[in-house]
Every structure is written in C-alpha cells, then in structure tokens.
Amino acid sequence: MSKAPTAKRLSIRALATLGVAELRENEARAFLWAPVAFGLGAAAYLEAGREPSLWMLAVIAVALIGAWWALRHRGASTLVVAVASLAAFGAAGALAAKVRSDRVAAPVMGGERIVRRVDGFVVDVVSPGAGGPRLLIAPVSISGLSAERTPRRIRVTIGENETPAPGDAIHLKAMLGQPPPPAAPGAYDFARDAWFDSIGGVGFAIGEVAPARLDPPPLRLRIVMAVNALRWSLAQRILVRMGPSSGGIGAAMVTGHEAWITQEQTDAMRASGLAHILSISGLHMAIVGGFVFGAVRLGVAAWPWLALRAPGKKIAAVAGLIAVLGYLVISGAPPPAERAAITASVAFLAILFDRRAITLHGLAVAALLILALKPETAGEPGFQMSFAATAALVALAEGWPRPVKEISTPWWIRWPQAGITWLAASVAASLVAGLATAPFAMQHFNRVAVWGLPANLAVAPLSSFVIMPFLAIGTLLEPFGLGAPFLAVAGRGVDAMIAIANGFADAHGAQQIVASAPPQVLVIAFLGLMLLCLWKGRLRWLGAPMALAVALWPRPAPPDAWIAADGATAAVRSGDAAVLLRTDAKRFGAELWARRRGLTPATWNLYACDQRVCAPALGAPVRLSLAWSRKTPDAETLSGLCVNSEVVVIRAAAPERIPPLCADTVLLTAEDFARGGAAELYHRADGWRIAWAQPLRGDRPWSRLLTADDVEGR
C-alpha cells in the first residue's frame, strides 16, 4: 500500500534534483532571458487598462535595479541575482515603453469624419488598402484645425489615378477622422500603431489630387522624402524591367512598395504560407547580406596576393554590413527590416571582433537594441514571430551536429552527402521556423497554411539562389542602365514562385481558419517556446506543451452577432459561417471578426436589404435589423424594424421618443457606439449580453474616442 506514495516521493525528489542541477547549468545563460523580460515589461505597459504614471514606473525600475545591484555585490547566489536582474529588465521595459509613448505624442483628429482641405507633402506611398494606393502625408495645413492641432502625419487613400511621388507638394480634399479603433472587442488595435507612428488622421481623398505651391519643409523631412523618392523611382524602374506580372513582387522585395501586387497574388501567397516573402524581413536581409559576404570572401580568396595580406573574412563582414545597411535604406526601413538589419549587423560585428556570428547571445543583444529603440514592437505580431523564429533557428544551429571533415573523399560521394545534408538542414529549418511562428499566426491572423512547409521548401532555392541575388545585382546596376538582364532572371524566378504558390493554394484544404485563444494563452505559448530555445537540459521539454497552448486551448462559444464600431454594418453567426448583412461596407472589419472567431465569411440572402435598412428574412439565425443611414428613422420606420426583431441597430442618434413596439427590443444607437465602439452580442437564456470593444482598450492615449470639442480643448 505504501509503494505508490514512495515512488511518487522519489520521482518528485529526482525531478527537484534535476531542476537544481539544470538551474546551476543555466545560470550563465540568464542574459538570454533579458530581452524576454524586457519585452514582457513593454507588453505589460501596452496592455495596461489605465495609463501608468511615468514617475511610478521610474521609481519601480530604479528600486529593482538597485535591488539587483545590492544582491550582486553582497554575495547573493547566482540564481537570486539572475531573478533580480530579470525583474529589473521587465521594469525597464515598461518604463521604456512609457517614455517612448510620451515622446511620440502628437495631435489626433477627433469628431465625426468630415471633408477637409489638406495642403502638405507626400512623405511616402505606403501599402495599398482595399480602396487603392495610400499616401503618408506631412500636412502643412488642414481646414478647420489650428496649427497646434494639426497632426504630424495623416494617411489618405486615393483613387487609381496617377499616384504622386514622395516629395511632391499636393492639395486635396479628403474625408478625414481619427485612426480607427479595433474592428472587434479584443482585436488588434490599429490606432495604437498609428499613435506610435505619429499618424493623427486617416481617410480617403475626394476628387483629384492637385499639385500645390508650399514653402520648403524642414531639412530632416526633405532628406526622408528624397530617400523615399529614390525608392519610388527605383520601384517603377524595376516594374518596367520585370513586367507587370512579376515586377510588383520584385519591387516589393527591394523597396517595400506593394502598390503593384495584385489581390490574387496576395491571396495565393497567404494560402500557401509564402506571404512572409512579400514583406522585407530577416529572410531578405540574410540572403542579401549572406550573398555579399560570400561573394566578397570568395573574391578575396581568389586573389592570392590579397588573400595573403588581408583578413578576407573581416573584409567580407564589412561588405555584408554595408549591404545590409544599404538595403535597409532602399527598403524604406519598415519595422521588420529594421529588426532584421540590427540582427544581421550584430552578426557581422561579431565577426569583426572575432566572435561567433550566429549565437543566442548575439540574438539577445539585437533584440534588446530593437526593444530599447522601439519598445512598442513587443506588441507587434511581426516582431513576435521574427524573434521566435530566429531564436528557434539559432537554437537549432547550436544543437545541429557538426560533421567530421573527411579527407580525400571522392566527389561522387562528397557531393551527394552534401546534398543530403543541405536538404535535411532545409527541412529542419523550415519545420522549426514554421512551428515557432504557428502560435502567433493562429492568434493574430487566424490562418494555418496546411501546405506551408512543402511550399517553403520548394521556394527556398528560388529565393536564395535566384530571386534575391539577381534582384540585388540588378538593383545595384540599374542606375547605370545595366540591370535589365539580371532583373529579367529575377522575374523568371518570381514567376516560378507565383506558380508554386498558386499550386499549393489550390490544393485541397490549403488554408484553415482558427479562432483566437484568450490573450493570456499566447503568453504561455511564447514562454514555452523560449524555454525550448533558451534552456539547456532535459527540462526544456517542459516548454513543449506550453508552446502548444494556442493550438490546444479550448475556445469559448463564438458570439451570435457582431456590429461595426460606427454601427454601419453587422454580421451574424449561422453555424460555422458569419453572414454579412452588407457586403459593400466595412467588409474588412467583418471578415477580420469572422476569422478571429473561427467563422467563414458568407453572403447568404438571409436578410432583406434596401438602400438604407436590413431586416431579418425567414430563417435568419438572429432576428437583427440594421438601419445604416446617418438620419434618425421616423417612428413608423423604427416600429417596423422592431416588430420582427430582437435587436435593432441604428447608426444615427436615438429618436426623442422610443415607439412602444420597441420596448422589449435591444436598441443600439450612435450614442452606444460612440461610448463602446464595436460590439459582440451573445444570446443567453435571460436575454442578450453585449461585449464592447472600448472598455477592453482601457484609458490610454491611443484609445480615447475624441470629439471635436475634445480636440479644440486639449
């Protein structure tokens, strides 16, 4: 009877002994966890329900840093000192995020979107939206706003006519308002990104964009616009050289401009798991930097006189560093490219100082630099995915067995062995990177590319040996008029990549929709991944079930209905489908909500709609009516909506008198949406429960829904 408890005590004791031994073994690796702690601290600030005081965060950070210093100099154990240092890094991350948020603070437009006249400079042509190209504008004046209340930057979608180039002075009329709130409760907050980019207004142009005569802008802005004008001109030349089918992707991979990528190409790349190739990130930096490093090192070795007198590896590292920094400038320095450039620069600097180029310590240094410069990246899906993937790949490289170098082996044996080794390494790298990024792809994008691994394996040789190298050479020679043959080869490679993407995208079950898990589950999965990558010893495998948390965590029942933040449209759940009431308005928000809840967007005729109103037809899963006119409906119209509905949504203000027929109806009006933003509705036995987006955002600088009076009074 006592054997089982005894065995249990022995197993616990053995586990404790193993834990103590591995803690001692990992004491020297504590620094690897510094960016994890710093990033979690920054993320805690971003997700806080209320804006914390700068002084409070500073006091906490100083106190924890002081505690770490005292423990270190008073002979405390290495483990205690390590824990204290990680706590200090976490507090420093929260403080850095607060300082950054205060530094980028800029005016934000408030009130309803209205038409305003804008004079300003085109800073850049950013990624296009559903309505067409989008301009990032530095406004000089905006009608109705004083100079003190004019945002530093605005983003405007224009028509499909000729797009102004960066540096152009323009005049336009635009429907402008503050950056949009989350499309659904708990969804990604686009306004937070806009806050850290100092974008205080977004909208779309009305009519043509005309040139304007304005005084010269400040020197710093002129330099930024000159660089962006060079990028825009280069992108157009690449498009001409490569042709419309492949030139759009080629221009995006070199300059970051995605204006010419078709929606069909984007959909195919997403469904096949190749969408990461379209945005400049670590893959592109690694290929360009590695290609230049290898070419220069080979060139030095091929010149015996120079090889005997100069350190070829260090010369190649300098060339690789210059190539990476140059590529960063040409790409427009988007956040993924900045992160990749810092990581690659740390690797090349390690070579210059006679250190191993690819190590977890180097990655930790790069991550700390990135987070210190822009702490808000801790909350961005791109940084989370790139850091997890890079950590997994570096951990794989450190654990990969080093083959014994054989002497005098015949080529007909050595070459097949090298091919098998390369194939095994490629499969392992693609598998590990895919598994490391899967939790973030599920949580943020709600997509799983089933054929992502074979698609990436098929494209890897093309991107590494054809597309990126020939794009790099062609781009370098294009200013001299010599880039055409190299860009043509790159175009053939892009065409082949698109064909592969289409093939896998058309395969059965190529893309699966996965509902988002509760927010804390992603933190569990992230810590599990870090345990697998950074811990040394058998206890690292405790991170495996944690890393699978997003995939395995049970999802709550999805809502029965969703309503847009302005009440202009809605969607209802019918089984595993999200039925859109209006297919021509706010479709992006409706589809984002549907994917986030694991539903497939549908446009079934379950609601009778005219030009102003949608009412439930026979068989509608939710008896919901929607009136999207900005004019308050009269009593007769409102009574008609309430007769056959449990929920009535009015985009306009509430009428002065509510008709008797609406007494038992859930009535949502403009006042409700102004306070709460987007809504999710759950049908319960005792009635309807409504979850609003705005309370989940908290009281933060980027979450305040401003009125025109608020703006003028700030």
Side-chain angles (χ1 to χ4, degrees):
M1 295 294 292
S2 62
K3 288 183 178 180
T6 302
K8 184 177 181 180
R9 285 196 298 271
L10 288 174
S11 62
I12 294 175
R13 185 180 302 171
L15 186 62
T17 303
L18 177 63
V20 171
E22 291 196 4
L23 278 172
R24 291 173 179 170
E25 187 179 1
N26 283 272
E27 286 175 349
R29 298 168 66 90
F31 177 72
L32 301 181
W33 291 87
V36 176
F38 194 98
L40 289 176
Y45 165 80
L46 296 173
E47 299 297 333
R50 298 182 64 182
E51 185 67 14
S53 164
L54 176 64
W55 290 107
M56 180 190 72
L57 293 177
V59 168
I60 293 174
V62 170
L64 288 175
I65 292 172
W68 163 77
W69 185 88
L71 289 169
R72 182 182 179 187
H73 287 81
R74 291 187 179 183
S77 68
T78 307
L79 177 61
V80 173
V81 173
V83 171
S85 69
L86 294 182
F89 272 111
L95 177 61
K98 170 63 176 174
V99 171
R100 168 77 174 162
S101 177
D102 290 348
R103 282 187 60 230
V104 300
V108 177
M109 300 183 68
E112 289 285 333
R113 285 193 176 190
I114 61 173
V115 178
R116 298 181 185 270
R117 295 186 303 276
V118 178
D119 289 312
F121 294 95
V122 179
V123 179
D124 200 5
V125 182
V126 294
S127 299
R134 292 189 296 184
L135 304 179
L136 181 64
I137 300 173
V140 174
S141 65
I142 299 178
S143 62
L145 295 179
S146 64
E148 294 76 16
R149 297 270 59 87
T150 300
R152 292 181 189 170
R153 299 288 184 271
I154 60 173
R155 192 182 65 209
V156 178
T157 301
I158 62 175
E160 296 293 342
N161 298 324
E162 185 175 353
T163 304
D168 287 353
I170 60 171
H171 170 81
L172 73 157
K173 287 184 179 180
M175 182 74 74
L176 290 177
Q178 66 187 108
Y188 195 71
D189 197 339
F190 300 97
R192 189 173 74 189
D193 279 356
W195 174 265
F196 284 100
D197 290 335
S198 297
I199 297 176
V202 298
F204 56 90
I206 298 176
E208 298 293 328
V209 178
R213 295 177 61 89
L214 302 174
D215 293 333
L219 176 61
R220 183 175 179 181
L221 180 57
R222 291 205 302 271
I223 294 173
V224 171
M225 292 191 299
V227 172
N228 290 337
L230 173 64
R231 294 174 47 240
W232 183 248
S233 174
L234 180 60
Q236 291 177 314
R237 295 181 68 168
I238 291 174
L239 183 72
V240 171
R241 295 290 194 188
M242 296 178 64
S245 63
S246 58
I249 291 179
M253 295 176 73
V254 174
T255 68
H257 288 299
E258 300 179 1
W260 300 285
I261 300 178
T262 66
Q263 188 60 47
E264 292 75 15
Q265 290 174 337
T266 301
D267 292 340
M269 297 293 279
R270 285 175 178 169
S272 59
L274 299 173
H276 61 94
I277 295 178
L278 298 181
S279 62
I280 298 172
S281 59
L283 172 67
H284 305 75
M285 287 290 177
I287 294 175
V288 171
F291 173 75
V292 172
F293 175 83
V296 171
R297 192 173 184 188
L298 181 62
V300 172
W303 187 0
W305 181 89
L306 183 61
L308 293 172
R309 292 168 174 80
K313 188 175 182 181
K314 292 186 177 182
I315 293 175
V318 171
L321 183 61
I322 294 173
V324 164
L325 296 179
Y327 189 21
L328 178 65
V329 173
I330 293 299
S331 69
E338 286 183 342
R339 296 190 292 265
I342 291 175
T343 304
S345 298
V346 169
F348 286 128
L349 289 172
I351 294 175
L352 293 176
F353 289 97
D354 298 316
R355 299 288 189 269
R356 281 188 61 185
I358 303 175
T359 65
L360 287 172
H361 278 82
L363 175 62
V365 171
L368 276 176
L369 286 173
I370 295 166
L371 290 168
L373 293 172
K374 292 188 175 180
E376 69 272 16
T377 57
E380 295 176 0
F383 174 76
Q384 296 168 4
M385 297 177 74
S386 63
F387 180 69
T390 307
L393 291 172
V394 175
L396 175 67
E398 288 191 347
W400 192 262
R402 299 290 188 272
V404 178
K405 291 186 177 180
E406 300 177 355
I407 302 175
S408 301
T409 305
W411 66 267
W412 48 271
I413 295 178
R414 186 171 65 253
W415 288 9
Q417 286 179 338
I420 293 173
T421 301
W422 178 85
L423 180 61
S426 298
V427 171
S430 296
L431 180 62
V432 165
L435 292 175
T437 56
F440 307 96
M442 291 184 203
Q443 185 72 5
H444 294 301
F445 306 116
N446 307 109
R447 291 188 180 98
V448 175
V450 176
W451 306 109
L453 176 60
N456 277 277
L457 287 175
V459 167
L462 278 174
S463 61
S464 300
F465 302 119
V466 179
I467 299 175
M468 286 307 302
F470 281 87
L471 274 176
I473 298 172
T475 301
L476 186 64
L477 296 178
E478 182 57 26
F480 307 101
L482 303 175
F486 300 96
L487 293 176
V489 174
R492 296 289 182 89
V494 170
D495 289 337
M497 180 178 68
I498 295 173
I500 293 171
N502 287 328
F504 282 104
D506 293 337
H508 177 69
Q511 188 172 225
Q512 299 295 321
I513 296 176
V514 180
S516 296
Q520 65 273 16
V521 178
L522 185 61
V523 179
I524 296 172
F526 172 69
L527 291 175
L529 286 169
M530 292 302 99
L531 193 61
L532 286 168
C533 296
L534 307 182
W535 193 264
K536 190 175 182 180
R538 286 182 290 174
L539 290 182
R540 74 192 311 170
W541 298 110
L542 293 176
M546 296 172 61
L548 295 172
V550 172
L552 302 178
W553 201 275
R555 280 14 178 206
D560 294 283
W562 163 85
I563 305 171
D566 60 354
T569 188
V572 299
R573 177 172 62 90
S574 179
D576 293 332
V579 182
L580 281 60
L581 269 68
R582 297 180 65 196
T583 60
D584 59 341
K586 307 288 183 181
R587 190 180 182 94
F588 174 78
E591 292 181 346
L592 187 149
W593 169 76
R595 291 197 309 271
R596 190 169 180 274
R597 293 307 184 184
L599 306 174
T600 303
T603 55
W604 303 334
N605 295 322
L606 298 178
Y607 291 83
C609 300
D610 57 24
Q611 294 182 350
R612 295 184 179 182
V613 171
C614 279
L618 185 64
V622 177
R623 289 192 291 126
L624 181 149
S625 292
L626 171 70
W628 61 84
S629 172
R630 294 184 181 275
K631 182 180 179 181
T632 302
D634 56 38
E636 182 180 354
T637 302
L638 185 55
S639 297
L641 293 175
C642 293
V643 168
N644 295 318
S645 301
E646 299 175 272
V647 179
V648 175
V649 178
I650 301 175
R651 184 182 187 183
E656 294 182 3
R657 291 184 56 192
I658 305 299
L661 289 174
C662 298
D664 297 327
T665 302
V666 176
L667 182 62
L668 302 177
T669 65
E671 291 83 354
D672 298 306
F673 299 112
R675 289 191 302 268
E680 291 178 330
L681 280 67
Y682 298 82
H683 190 257
R684 298 290 183 259
D686 57 346
W688 288 90
R689 182 176 72 84
I690 304 177
W692 296 96
Q694 192 63 18
L696 295 177
R697 303 175 73 196
D699 184 16
R700 310 306 301 278
W702 52 82
S703 67
R704 294 162 188 161
L705 298 177
L706 303 174
T707 66
D709 293 337
D710 293 330
V711 172
E712 293 302 325
R714 284 173 63 188

